[in-house]
Every structure is written in C-alpha cells, then in structure tokens.
PDB file of all heavy atoms in Angstrom:
ATOM      1  N   LEU K   1     -33.941-112.591 -40.803  1.00 98.00           N
ATOM      2  CA  LEU K   1     -33.037-112.157 -41.844  1.00 98.00           C
ATOM      3  C   LEU K   1     -31.812-111.549 -41.178  1.00 98.00           C
ATOM      4  O   LEU K   1     -31.897-111.033 -40.064  1.00 98.00           O
ATOM      5  CB  LEU K   1     -33.665-111.107 -42.764  1.00 98.00           C
ATOM      6  CG  LEU K   1     -34.717-111.546 -43.777  1.00 98.00           C
ATOM      7  CD1 LEU K   1     -35.323-110.311 -44.446  1.00 98.00           C
ATOM      8  CD2 LEU K   1     -34.109-112.470 -44.816  1.00 98.00           C
ATOM      9  N   ARG K   2     -30.695-111.605 -41.873  1.00 98.00           N
ATOM     10  CA  ARG K   2     -29.505-110.914 -41.414  1.00 98.00           C
ATOM     11  C   ARG K   2     -29.010-109.991 -42.509  1.00 98.00           C
ATOM     12  O   ARG K   2     -28.680-110.443 -43.607  1.00 98.00           O
ATOM     13  CB  ARG K   2     -28.388-111.877 -41.006  1.00 98.00           C
ATOM     14  CG  ARG K   2     -27.223-111.141 -40.330  1.00 98.00           C
ATOM     15  CD  ARG K   2     -26.160-112.054 -39.792  1.00 98.00           C
ATOM     16  NE  ARG K   2     -25.275-112.550 -40.840  1.00 98.00           N
ATOM     17  CZ  ARG K   2     -24.011-112.926 -40.637  1.00 98.00           C
ATOM     18  NH1 ARG K   2     -23.492-112.860 -39.413  1.00 98.00           N
ATOM     19  NH2 ARG K   2     -23.295-113.389 -41.645  1.00 98.00           N
ATOM     20  N   LEU K   3     -28.962-108.716 -42.196  1.00 98.00           N
ATOM     21  CA  LEU K   3     -28.438-107.727 -43.105  1.00 98.00           C
ATOM     22  C   LEU K   3     -26.952-107.519 -42.834  1.00 98.00           C
ATOM     23  O   LEU K   3     -26.504-107.599 -41.693  1.00 98.00           O
ATOM     24  CB  LEU K   3     -29.167-106.396 -42.955  1.00 98.00           C
ATOM     25  CG  LEU K   3     -30.691-106.419 -43.065  1.00 98.00           C
ATOM     26  CD1 LEU K   3     -31.242-105.002 -42.945  1.00 98.00           C
ATOM     27  CD2 LEU K   3     -31.132-107.075 -44.358  1.00 98.00           C
ATOM     28  N   ALA K   4     -26.211-107.245 -43.869  1.00 98.00           N
ATOM     29  CA  ALA K   4     -24.796-106.952 -43.737  1.00 98.00           C
ATOM     30  C   ALA K   4     -24.465-105.709 -44.543  1.00 98.00           C
ATOM     31  O   ALA K   4     -25.051-105.460 -45.599  1.00 98.00           O
ATOM     32  CB  ALA K   4     -23.939-108.123 -44.214  1.00 98.00           C
ATOM     33  N   CYS K   5     -23.534-104.943 -44.046  1.00 97.00           N
ATOM     34  CA  CYS K   5     -23.092-103.737 -44.726  1.00 97.00           C
ATOM     35  C   CYS K   5     -21.588-103.625 -44.573  1.00 97.00           C
ATOM     36  O   CYS K   5     -21.082-103.572 -43.445  1.00 97.00           O
ATOM     37  CB  CYS K   5     -23.779-102.506 -44.146  1.00 97.00           C
ATOM     38  SG  CYS K   5     -23.130-100.922 -44.720  1.00 97.00           S
ATOM     39  N   THR K   6     -20.893-103.587 -45.685  1.00 95.00           N
ATOM     40  CA  THR K   6     -19.453-103.433 -45.680  1.00 95.00           C
ATOM     41  C   THR K   6     -19.097-102.010 -46.073  1.00 95.00           C
ATOM     42  O   THR K   6     -19.570-101.501 -47.095  1.00 95.00           O
ATOM     43  CB  THR K   6     -18.784-104.432 -46.634  1.00 95.00           C
ATOM     44  OG1 THR K   6     -19.057-105.760 -46.195  1.00 95.00           O
ATOM     45  CG2 THR K   6     -17.277-104.225 -46.655  1.00 95.00           C
ATOM     46  N   VAL K   7     -18.283-101.388 -45.256  1.00 93.00           N
ATOM     47  CA  VAL K   7     -17.849-100.020 -45.480  1.00 93.00           C
ATOM     48  C   VAL K   7     -16.443-100.052 -46.050  1.00 93.00           C
ATOM     49  O   VAL K   7     -15.541-100.647 -45.462  1.00 93.00           O
ATOM     50  CB  VAL K   7     -17.878 -99.196 -44.188  1.00 93.00           C
ATOM     51  CG1 VAL K   7     -17.515 -97.742 -44.469  1.00 93.00           C
ATOM     52  CG2 VAL K   7     -19.242 -99.285 -43.525  1.00 93.00           C
ATOM     53  N   SER K   8     -16.256 -99.410 -47.171  1.00 93.00           N
ATOM     54  CA  SER K   8     -14.949 -99.359 -47.805  1.00 93.00           C
ATOM     55  C   SER K   8     -14.537 -97.914 -48.027  1.00 93.00           C
ATOM     56  O   SER K   8     -15.342 -96.997 -47.932  1.00 93.00           O
ATOM     57  CB  SER K   8     -14.937-100.125 -49.131  1.00 93.00           C
ATOM     58  OG  SER K   8     -15.843 -99.545 -50.055  1.00 93.00           O
ATOM     59  N   GLY K   9     -13.277 -97.740 -48.347  1.00 90.00           N
ATOM     60  CA  GLY K   9     -12.748 -96.408 -48.526  1.00 90.00           C
ATOM     61  C   GLY K   9     -12.101 -95.915 -47.256  1.00 90.00           C
ATOM     62  O   GLY K   9     -11.499 -96.679 -46.504  1.00 90.00           O
ATOM     63  N   SER K  10     -12.247 -94.649 -47.004  1.00 84.00           N
ATOM     64  CA  SER K  10     -11.647 -94.027 -45.827  1.00 84.00           C
ATOM     65  C   SER K  10     -12.557 -94.239 -44.627  1.00 84.00           C
ATOM     66  O   SER K  10     -13.522 -93.498 -44.418  1.00 84.00           O
ATOM     67  CB  SER K  10     -11.418 -92.539 -46.082  1.00 84.00           C
ATOM     68  OG  SER K  10     -10.778 -91.926 -44.976  1.00 84.00           O
ATOM     69  N   THR K  11     -12.242 -95.263 -43.849  1.00 77.00           N
ATOM     70  CA  THR K  11     -13.116 -95.654 -42.746  1.00 77.00           C
ATOM     71  C   THR K  11     -12.638 -95.176 -41.388  1.00 77.00           C
ATOM     72  O   THR K  11     -13.287 -95.468 -40.380  1.00 77.00           O
ATOM     73  CB  THR K  11     -13.277 -97.177 -42.706  1.00 77.00           C
ATOM     74  OG1 THR K  11     -12.004 -97.787 -42.492  1.00 77.00           O
ATOM     75  CG2 THR K  11     -13.869 -97.692 -44.015  1.00 77.00           C
ATOM     76  N   PHE K  12     -11.528 -94.470 -41.348  1.00 76.00           N
ATOM     77  CA  PHE K  12     -11.034 -94.029 -40.056  1.00 76.00           C
ATOM     78  C   PHE K  12     -12.010 -93.075 -39.401  1.00 76.00           C
ATOM     79  O   PHE K  12     -12.696 -92.295 -40.059  1.00 76.00           O
ATOM     80  CB  PHE K  12      -9.651 -93.378 -40.204  1.00 76.00           C
ATOM     81  CG  PHE K  12      -9.634 -92.124 -41.032  1.00 76.00           C
ATOM     82  CD1 PHE K  12      -9.864 -90.889 -40.452  1.00 76.00           C
ATOM     83  CD2 PHE K  12      -9.384 -92.179 -42.389  1.00 76.00           C
ATOM     84  CE1 PHE K  12      -9.844 -89.730 -41.202  1.00 76.00           C
ATOM     85  CE2 PHE K  12      -9.360 -91.034 -43.159  1.00 76.00           C
ATOM     86  CZ  PHE K  12      -9.594 -89.807 -42.565  1.00 76.00           C
ATOM     87  N   SER K  13     -12.082 -93.163 -38.091  1.00 74.00           N
ATOM     88  CA  SER K  13     -12.946 -92.332 -37.264  1.00 74.00           C
ATOM     89  C   SER K  13     -14.437 -92.550 -37.528  1.00 74.00           C
ATOM     90  O   SER K  13     -15.257 -91.718 -37.150  1.00 74.00           O
ATOM     91  CB  SER K  13     -12.599 -90.850 -37.425  1.00 74.00           C
ATOM     92  OG  SER K  13     -11.279 -90.584 -37.000  1.00 74.00           O
ATOM     93  N   MET K  14     -14.785 -93.674 -38.178  1.00 74.00           N
ATOM     94  CA  MET K  14     -16.190 -94.044 -38.321  1.00 74.00           C
ATOM     95  C   MET K  14     -16.634 -94.667 -37.004  1.00 74.00           C
ATOM     96  O   MET K  14     -16.724 -95.883 -36.871  1.00 74.00           O
ATOM     97  CB  MET K  14     -16.377 -95.011 -39.479  1.00 74.00           C
ATOM     98  CG  MET K  14     -16.101 -94.415 -40.844  1.00 74.00           C
ATOM     99  SD  MET K  14     -17.364 -93.221 -41.334  1.00 74.00           S
ATOM    100  CE  MET K  14     -16.965 -93.008 -43.074  1.00 74.00           C
ATOM    101  N   ASN K  15     -16.907 -93.818 -36.054  1.00 82.00           N
ATOM    102  CA  ASN K  15     -17.151 -94.287 -34.698  1.00 82.00           C
ATOM    103  C   ASN K  15     -18.496 -94.984 -34.541  1.00 82.00           C
ATOM    104  O   ASN K  15     -18.619 -95.926 -33.758  1.00 82.00           O
ATOM    105  CB  ASN K  15     -17.062 -93.116 -33.722  1.00 82.00           C
ATOM    106  CG  ASN K  15     -17.173 -93.543 -32.279  1.00 82.00           C
ATOM    107  OD1 ASN K  15     -16.493 -94.481 -31.844  1.00 82.00           O
ATOM    108  ND2 ASN K  15     -18.022 -92.867 -31.519  1.00 82.00           N
ATOM    109  N   ILE K  16     -19.495 -94.525 -35.262  1.00 92.00           N
ATOM    110  CA  ILE K  16     -20.849 -95.039 -35.102  1.00 92.00           C
ATOM    111  C   ILE K  16     -21.343 -95.608 -36.417  1.00 92.00           C
ATOM    112  O   ILE K  16     -21.306 -94.941 -37.449  1.00 92.00           O
ATOM    113  CB  ILE K  16     -21.803 -93.943 -34.604  1.00 92.00           C
ATOM    114  CG1 ILE K  16     -21.316 -93.382 -33.263  1.00 92.00           C
ATOM    115  CG2 ILE K  16     -23.220 -94.484 -34.472  1.00 92.00           C
ATOM    116  CD1 ILE K  16     -22.117 -92.196 -32.765  1.00 92.00           C
ATOM    117  N   LEU K  17     -21.810 -96.833 -36.359  1.00 95.00           N
ATOM    118  CA  LEU K  17     -22.477 -97.468 -37.483  1.00 95.00           C
ATOM    119  C   LEU K  17     -23.919 -97.747 -37.084  1.00 95.00           C
ATOM    120  O   LEU K  17     -24.201 -98.045 -35.925  1.00 95.00           O
ATOM    121  CB  LEU K  17     -21.789 -98.767 -37.887  1.00 95.00           C
ATOM    122  CG  LEU K  17     -20.327 -98.662 -38.336  1.00 95.00           C
ATOM    123  CD1 LEU K  17     -19.753-100.050 -38.580  1.00 95.00           C
ATOM    124  CD2 LEU K  17     -20.215 -97.808 -39.594  1.00 95.00           C
ATOM    125  N   GLY K  18     -24.812 -97.659 -38.042  1.00 96.00           N
ATOM    126  CA  GLY K  18     -26.205 -97.873 -37.715  1.00 96.00           C
ATOM    127  C   GLY K  18     -27.025 -98.362 -38.880  1.00 96.00           C
ATOM    128  O   GLY K  18     -26.566 -98.381 -40.028  1.00 96.00           O
ATOM    129  N   TRP K  19     -28.226 -98.768 -38.553  1.00 98.00           N
ATOM    130  CA  TRP K  19     -29.214 -99.170 -39.530  1.00 98.00           C
ATOM    131  C   TRP K  19     -30.453 -98.308 -39.360  1.00 98.00           C
ATOM    132  O   TRP K  19     -30.976 -98.172 -38.251  1.00 98.00           O
ATOM    133  CB  TRP K  19     -29.592-100.646 -39.378  1.00 98.00           C
ATOM    134  CG  TRP K  19     -28.518-101.596 -39.813  1.00 98.00           C
ATOM    135  CD1 TRP K  19     -27.574-102.182 -39.034  1.00 98.00           C
ATOM    136  CD2 TRP K  19     -28.298-102.066 -41.143  1.00 98.00           C
ATOM    137  NE1 TRP K  19     -26.769-102.994 -39.796  1.00 98.00           N
ATOM    138  CE2 TRP K  19     -27.197-102.939 -41.093  1.00 98.00           C
ATOM    139  CE3 TRP K  19     -28.927-101.839 -42.369  1.00 98.00           C
ATOM    140  CZ2 TRP K  19     -26.704-103.593 -42.226  1.00 98.00           C
ATOM    141  CZ3 TRP K  19     -28.431-102.480 -43.488  1.00 98.00           C
ATOM    142  CH2 TRP K  19     -27.341-103.344 -43.408  1.00 98.00           C
ATOM    143  N   TYR K  20     -30.871 -97.724 -40.447  1.00 98.00           N
ATOM    144  CA  TYR K  20     -32.120 -96.983 -40.512  1.00 98.00           C
ATOM    145  C   TYR K  20     -33.097 -97.740 -41.399  1.00 98.00           C
ATOM    146  O   TYR K  20     -32.702 -98.606 -42.188  1.00 98.00           O
ATOM    147  CB  TYR K  20     -31.905 -95.591 -41.103  1.00 98.00           C
ATOM    148  CG  TYR K  20     -31.175 -94.609 -40.215  1.00 98.00           C
ATOM    149  CD1 TYR K  20     -29.812 -94.733 -39.962  1.00 98.00           C
ATOM    150  CD2 TYR K  20     -31.861 -93.535 -39.642  1.00 98.00           C
ATOM    151  CE1 TYR K  20     -29.147 -93.823 -39.162  1.00 98.00           C
ATOM    152  CE2 TYR K  20     -31.194 -92.615 -38.845  1.00 98.00           C
ATOM    153  CZ  TYR K  20     -29.842 -92.768 -38.609  1.00 98.00           C
ATOM    154  OH  TYR K  20     -29.179 -91.853 -37.815  1.00 98.00           O
ATOM    155  N   ARG K  21     -34.358 -97.399 -41.272  1.00 98.00           N
ATOM    156  CA  ARG K  21     -35.350 -97.950 -42.182  1.00 98.00           C
ATOM    157  C   ARG K  21     -36.369 -96.882 -42.528  1.00 98.00           C
ATOM    158  O   ARG K  21     -36.601 -95.951 -41.760  1.00 98.00           O
ATOM    159  CB  ARG K  21     -36.038 -99.184 -41.601  1.00 98.00           C
ATOM    160  CG  ARG K  21     -36.910 -98.918 -40.389  1.00 98.00           C
ATOM    161  CD  ARG K  21     -37.416-100.226 -39.809  1.00 98.00           C
ATOM    162  NE  ARG K  21     -38.249-100.025 -38.628  1.00 98.00           N
ATOM    163  CZ  ARG K  21     -38.680-101.006 -37.851  1.00 98.00           C
ATOM    164  NH1 ARG K  21     -38.363-102.273 -38.125  1.00 98.00           N
ATOM    165  NH2 ARG K  21     -39.444-100.732 -36.798  1.00 98.00           N
ATOM    166  N   GLN K  22     -36.957 -97.043 -43.688  1.00 98.00           N
ATOM    167  CA  GLN K  22     -37.965 -96.105 -44.144  1.00 98.00           C
ATOM    168  C   GLN K  22     -39.059 -96.864 -44.874  1.00 98.00           C
ATOM    169  O   GLN K  22     -38.801 -97.514 -45.889  1.00 98.00           O
ATOM    170  CB  GLN K  22     -37.360 -95.044 -45.059  1.00 98.00           C
ATOM    171  CG  GLN K  22     -38.318 -93.931 -45.421  1.00 98.00           C
ATOM    172  CD  GLN K  22     -37.606 -92.743 -46.039  1.00 98.00           C
ATOM    173  OE1 GLN K  22     -36.530 -92.877 -46.618  1.00 98.00           O
ATOM    174  NE2 GLN K  22     -38.199 -91.567 -45.912  1.00 98.00           N
ATOM    175  N   ALA K  23     -40.248 -96.785 -44.338  1.00 97.00           N
ATOM    176  CA  ALA K  23     -41.418 -97.359 -44.973  1.00 97.00           C
ATOM    177  C   ALA K  23     -42.092 -96.295 -45.832  1.00 97.00           C
ATOM    178  O   ALA K  23     -41.915 -95.092 -45.595  1.00 97.00           O
ATOM    179  CB  ALA K  23     -42.385 -97.892 -43.920  1.00 97.00           C
ATOM    180  N   PRO K  24     -42.870 -96.696 -46.823  1.00 92.00           N
ATOM    181  CA  PRO K  24     -43.543 -95.715 -47.676  1.00 92.00           C
ATOM    182  C   PRO K  24     -44.383 -94.744 -46.867  1.00 92.00           C
ATOM    183  O   PRO K  24     -45.172 -95.139 -46.015  1.00 92.00           O
ATOM    184  CB  PRO K  24     -44.411 -96.581 -48.588  1.00 92.00           C
ATOM    185  CG  PRO K  24     -43.700 -97.892 -48.642  1.00 92.00           C
ATOM    186  CD  PRO K  24     -43.124 -98.077 -47.269  1.00 92.00           C
ATOM    187  N   GLY K  25     -44.196 -93.465 -47.137  1.00 94.00           N
ATOM    188  CA  GLY K  25     -44.951 -92.437 -46.453  1.00 94.00           C
ATOM    189  C   GLY K  25     -44.488 -92.140 -45.046  1.00 94.00           C
ATOM    190  O   GLY K  25     -45.121 -91.325 -44.358  1.00 94.00           O
TER     191      GLY K  25
END
C-alpha cells in the first residue's frame, strides 16, 4: 500500500514529516 498525506495551510518551517501508527490497545 502507499499512503499519502498532503499538508495545507501554513507549512513553513515544517521541517519534519512523519507517519505514526496505533493499534488497538
């Protein structure tokens, strides 16, 4: 699978982008 995330708005100085995940519990 390929996930995509588009960031909009005030994006200046957004130095680090990441993906987190959370499974139940």
